[in-house]
Amino acid sequence: MDNRLAFLRTVAPFNLLPEEVVRGVVGLLEEVQYSSEKLLYQQDASKLRSLDIIAEGAYDTFFYDSDQHKRLPETYGPGTCYGGMSILLNKKRSLRTVAVRKGTRVLQLPRRDFRALCLAYEPFFHYFTARYGERMLDEEYAHFVKPAAPPEQNYLVADQLFSRRISTLEVRQLVTCPGELPIYEAAQRMAAAKVSCLFVTDAHEAITGYCTDITLRDSVIARRLDASRPVAEVTATPLVSISDEAYVYEAILRMFQTKTRYLLVEKAGRYVGFLSRNKLLSDLAQSPFMFIQAVKLAQSPRELKRRWEMVPDIVNQLLSRGVKADIVNQVISTVVDTISLKVIEQVLAEQGPAPARFVFMVLGSEGRKEQTLVTDQDNAIIYEDKANEHREEVRAWFLRFATTVSDELNHIGLHFCTGGFMAKNPKWTHSLSHWKRNYRQWMSESNPETVMQMATFFDCHYLHGDAALMQELYDFLREELTQPLDRFLFYMTRNALQYEPPLTSFLSRFRTFEQEGQRVFDLKKAMSPIVDLVRVYALRHQVFETNTGQRLARLRELGVFKEKEYQELLQAYYYLMGMRLQKQARQLINDREAPTNYLDPSTLTQVEQVTLKEIFKVIGDFQLKIKVSFTKSL
């Protein structure tokens, strides 16, 4: 009794109680001795039955994040107490995870008696509430205590957005006029039909372009053009169309990617109507596509940065609704492309027009439209060849331009490429003739380094500038791929074989490595054999689609892959992609950590583990197939 009383007087909150009360508390204490280490309480799950006063030994407390990493570790030693804040302020649930050390002795004050003391003695009560207030000033602590802050903004409309085909929509009827019709009569026809877009036809009644309210404003009124001139003189191009069998989300993405406001709808080889971007977006007022529109309308780098920081929430909501990973990839890639375009246009406005025609292209995962939340910049510039006396000055301008663009993107959150594949790197900003030499050299003088460069620059797509330059490069590449390429394909194949699926041959266990105290494997490396082997087949068969899923579909059409092989690879790839996106979104939203590609298989359900093992077997089988197909002759 005397020993416990003396000890209790050394415990901070009990000093705030009258002497006779402390004597009474001693008689309420229950002693517990722990002979071995054990996990005593789990954060936000275990209900506490007592205030625990540590007499000997220690409690090791921490928060587990979603990857089971220990965050904010703190030790409670002799003379401290644990559980007061949890009982009073967290509905009796333990705020933290608690592991007790071997040999620890604890005096437990029953929860009922602890609460009675708090009600009777305000200073005692305030000791715990004040400590809680102090701890909640720490942003990281507050995040783990209250992970679900304000309600999420809902960026989604009904799930039919991703399952509904264009054929189910009410498309706008085509209003047309012949190209020789005077401009003023074309405007009258638009007014009578109450449309903002008039499609212009040639002598054979084939649609050649369109005229809009904006066309009339910018090309007729602003230029004071004679309105009796033929409307064909102000017709806008190019025409962009889509099949009525495509999904609604595909139509919207195509509009953003091509920067068109009107999309012709095609059925059985003929145009049956058109879609207006403004009309579609107003129908989808809370969709990720309205978010993309908001990015497009952003006025400052600060606003673009804020929009980019909102993307993890959108990704999380899309995935939680069961939206497929390839659609989520496209949404992320479209947001990144839109941000990049805004920055390019802003820099051009500041620095003035370029001294030569050029193309700003994106590479790697952005080039394939397969971006995740672990993304960086991969880009390059092609500019037209200029006379020798202007060559250095033109090159210097584009390098300054590229550096400004890259620096601005990095500030927004699209970070520099660690491998240096950026237009600001002098290696990747060149004239068209220099780029042709690069591609020829990579294919003719193949080695492990050049095939890596070829892999990156084969996965590219146009972002801004004169598309004709990029088309000329594609035409050149198509011609080069008709040459004997055994050595080149051999090294490309070796590149596709360098990462084996993380599965042991013995008992099919996951092959892991240690990372921050966990056994993990790298999801990105687990997926890369699919990307790499599909690229090899695409090069061999001159398939110029850049997206892995689209390449697979085209290779199936060509008979390179059987239907079963196509389905297995496609499902394997996007299952891994979905898992990767979900993990990254969770790290950013729940853990406030930079996202990674590492996955601890012990955190997965048994069904997920079995599925992953089957996927890794599929990848292993395809690696064997490509090894036989491409390397046996060498």
Side-chain angles (χ1 to χ4, degrees), residues 599-619:
L599 184 67
D600 180 351
S602 69
T603 63
L604 302 175
T605 66
Q606 191 169 6
V607 171
E608 288 172 328
Q609 290 190 28
V610 170
T611 305
L612 274 184
K613 287 176 181 178
E614 289 305 310
I615 283 172
F616 292 152
K617 287 174 186 174
V618 166
I619 295 172

Side-chain angles (χ1 to χ4, degrees), residues 252-253 255-259 277 288-298 304 307-308 311 330-346 362 366 371 409 412 414 461-464:
I252 300 169
L253 283 174
M255 286 176 171
F256 279 116
Q257 289 159 1
T258 59
K259 296 196 278 189
R277 188 172 76 189
F289 306 108
M290 276 305 289
F291 175 79
I292 295 170
Q293 179 73 346
V295 175
K296 190 178 176 64
L297 297 174
L304 288 172
R307 293 288 177 187
W308 175 242
V311 171
Q330 288 187 56
V331 170
I332 298 172
S333 297
T334 304
V335 171
V336 172
D337 282 358
T338 305
I339 289 172
S340 301
L341 277 168
K342 291 288 292 184
V343 169
I344 289 168
E345 289 164 0
Q346 171 199 324
V362 290
E366 187 178 356
Q371 282 186 292
L409 289 173
I412 287 167
L414 302 172
H461 79 250
Y462 162 89
L463 186 64
H464 179 89

